[in-house]
Amino acid sequence: MTTATDIAARPSGGPLWALADSWTMTRRGLAHWARQPVQVVINLVFPVMMLLMFAYFLGGGMTVPGGGDYKEYLVPGMLALTMAFGLEGTMLAVTQDLNKGVIDRFRSMPMASSAVLVGRSVLDMLQSGLSLCVLIGVSLAMGWRWHDGLGNALLAAGLLLWLRFAMLWIGIHLGMVAGRPELVQAVQILVWPVGFLSNAFTAPENMPAWLGTVAEWNPMSATATAVRDLFGIPGAGRGSWAADHAQLLAVGWPLLLVAVFFPLAVGRYRGLSR
């Protein structure tokens, strides 16, 4: 295996050594992409299909507070949801590596202990960035536009990737806790309702009061609302503290999730061989 040979032949020690090993782990993932392009395409196409279905099949029955256009409202929500649902892909990749003994093999080699997790996170962030570009490209082709300039649009993309970064560490931790790919399905059953219990597809004002309150405080709602603000999308709805401080929450929620799940994931990874 080229990756294993590269690592074994490399002198150990120092941050450059850790960076080189992390890049080797990232290249391993990119090589898997080249060998399994169908899976990569499926991961890119699925959110596009969701966007098209909600925009053209169900969008006619949706209302936006203030009378805004549903397609404009939907796209930022779909972008946030795609970043959040990346958690499943991270979990599945981690459990597959665990079951194949890949992680144990790399941990037994003279390589930086952080390389496996860093390589996983870089690869997943690359995939999420690519998915974001594809989804925005399709949205532009559908006639969707941002209205507040390229600078704010880039800030919106940064908030979306920040949410994905937080979900990444939840996925790594849960993947190591689950241990088997079959158990990822159990988490998927929970992820989808949590994702839909947000303002991604419909405004909380359209939900029962108690459910709307829960949806407003969903981290995905915070990112979706903040992104709508930065894109200059009208009719996003206001009237609650969570909605009026969406940008603060869009930074704070992922920060809290990273603060909790990053040390949990690292601790779990270090304890795998004990």
Side-chain angles (χ1 to χ4, degrees), residues 30-111:
L30 295 174
H32 285 179
W33 286 11
R35 286 196 296 270
Q36 300 175 341
V38 174
Q39 186 60 47
V40 176
V41 172
I42 289 174
N43 290 337
L44 294 176
V45 168
F46 181 71
V48 172
M49 289 179 58
M50 291 278 290
L51 174 65
L52 295 177
M53 285 193 298
F54 274 89
Y56 294 114
F57 297 168
L58 305 174
M62 299 291 190
T63 59
V64 179
D69 179 76
Y70 182 67
K71 192 189 299 179
E72 288 200 320
Y73 180 88
L74 171 66
V75 170
M78 196 65 230
L79 292 171
L81 209 61
T82 300
M83 296 297 102
F85 283 180
L87 177 150
E88 299 175 22
T90 300
M91 275 191 67
L92 189 61
V94 170
T95 53
Q96 287 176 339
D97 280 351
L98 278 173
N99 277 265
K100 292 176 182 175
V102 174
I103 291 181
D104 287 339
R105 182 181 181 189
F106 284 131
R107 284 169 59 85
S108 69
M109 299 175 66
M111 60 181 289

Side-chain angles (χ1 to χ4, degrees), residues 91-92 95 174-175 177-189:
M91 275 191 67
L92 189 61
T95 53
L174 293 182
V177 170
R180 298 199 306 273
E182 301 82 25
L183 294 180
V184 174
Q185 296 176 359
V187 176
Q188 287 175 331
I189 294 173

Side-chain angles (χ1 to χ4, degrees), residues 216-235:
E216 282 185 332
W217 283 93
N218 188 325
M220 278 167 273
S221 296
T223 298
T225 302
V227 168
R228 288 184 183 113
D229 287 341
L230 289 168
F231 283 149
I233 305 297

Side-chain angles (χ1 to χ4, degrees), residues 10 35 47 83 98 164 167 203 207 212:
R10 185 177 302 123
R35 286 196 296 270
M83 296 297 102
L98 278 173
R164 177 64 182 100
M167 293 297 170
M207 304 177 187

